[in-house]
Amino acid sequence: MVSLESHALERAPAARRNGVPPSPLKRLALALRRAVIAARLGLLRRAGMDIGRDCLISLRAQLDHTNPRGVHIGEGTLIAFDAVVFSHDLSRHFHADTYIGRHCFIGARAIVMAGVRIGDGCVVGAGAVVTKDVPAGCIVAGNPAQILRSGVVTRKWGILADAYATALARERQPDADARP
């Protein structure tokens, strides 16, 4: 049995816009996109990358194919578009294992350098360049990435738990503008 909270989290972002369900064509397009993403994850795993369950990796994200066995991504992690995860450094001529923990969010155009370990429940801001290890439960951003906040709790796909609870409460409230 699925709870309301987990069902709300699983719902596709474009499932409803202003209370209007998507058209059959839109539903088909979303289903096709999900199938392509799932197929890509299968290919990445087959190449030797260690990718956990329930990960979302943008079709435009770049994972290092030079050393695929060096990429380790924990379950429930989301990697946004144009993010890059390296597991080798050609200028220093070495291969290293790069770890991204469980329930993390890697923002758009972020770069995770080879050999870095990002702990569980971290959020990496858009455009950040992660050159050093990040402890669990931190938000980092900048070039080079620096810790902005620590002690954060995230849910699946790196969604901040407090922001999720606020959004869920707002969704459950009756619409103030609704007229009987």
Side-chain angles (χ1 to χ4, degrees):
M1 186 163 150
V2 177
S3 71
L4 285 176
E5 283 189 14
S6 66
H7 177 67
L9 186 61
E10 296 294 330
R11 190 175 56 217
R16 288 188 175 267
R17 298 258 189 239
N18 299 325
V20 178
S23 69
L25 186 60
K26 181 71 171 182
R27 282 197 309 262
L28 177 64
L30 288 171
L32 181 61
R33 183 175 189 277
R34 282 191 291 270
V36 169
I37 289 172
R40 179 175 186 240
L41 281 175
L43 290 172
L44 293 173
R45 288 181 178 116
R46 216 169 180 179
M49 294 182 192
D50 176 23
I51 300 174
R53 293 181 311 107
D54 294 329
C55 286
L56 285 180
I57 300 175
S58 170
L59 294 173
R60 291 181 46 192
Q62 301 296 315
L63 303 180
D64 197 340
H65 290 279
T66 303
N67 180 24
R69 295 193 189 287
V71 176
H72 307 275
I73 300 171
E75 69 181 51
T77 291
L78 188 150
I79 300 179
F81 71 93
D82 288 343
V84 180
V85 178
F86 286 112
S87 61
H88 85 288
D89 187 341
L90 190 60
S91 65
R92 295 185 289 168
H93 195 66
F94 81 99
H95 292 114
D97 288 333
T98 303
Y99 292 90
I100 299 174
R102 299 174 59 241
H103 303 289
C104 292
F105 174 81
I106 308 298
R109 298 198 169 116
I111 300 171
V112 180
M113 300 302 289
V116 168
R117 287 180 178 264
I118 297 175
D120 294 341
C122 288
V123 175
V124 176
V129 180
V130 183
T131 58
K132 296 179 184 171
D133 292 355
V134 178
C138 289
I139 297 176
V140 297
N143 180 6
Q146 296 185 354
I147 297 174
L148 301 179
R149 199 165 123 196
S150 60
V152 298
V153 177
T154 61
R155 297 176 61 98
K156 183 174 167 181
W157 302 325
I159 298 171
L160 295 173
D162 55 349
Y164 178 77
T166 303
L168 190 62
R170 192 177 318 123
E171 186 177 284
R172 289 183 177 172
Q173 285 180 343
D175 193 5
D177 296 332
R179 298 178 192 201

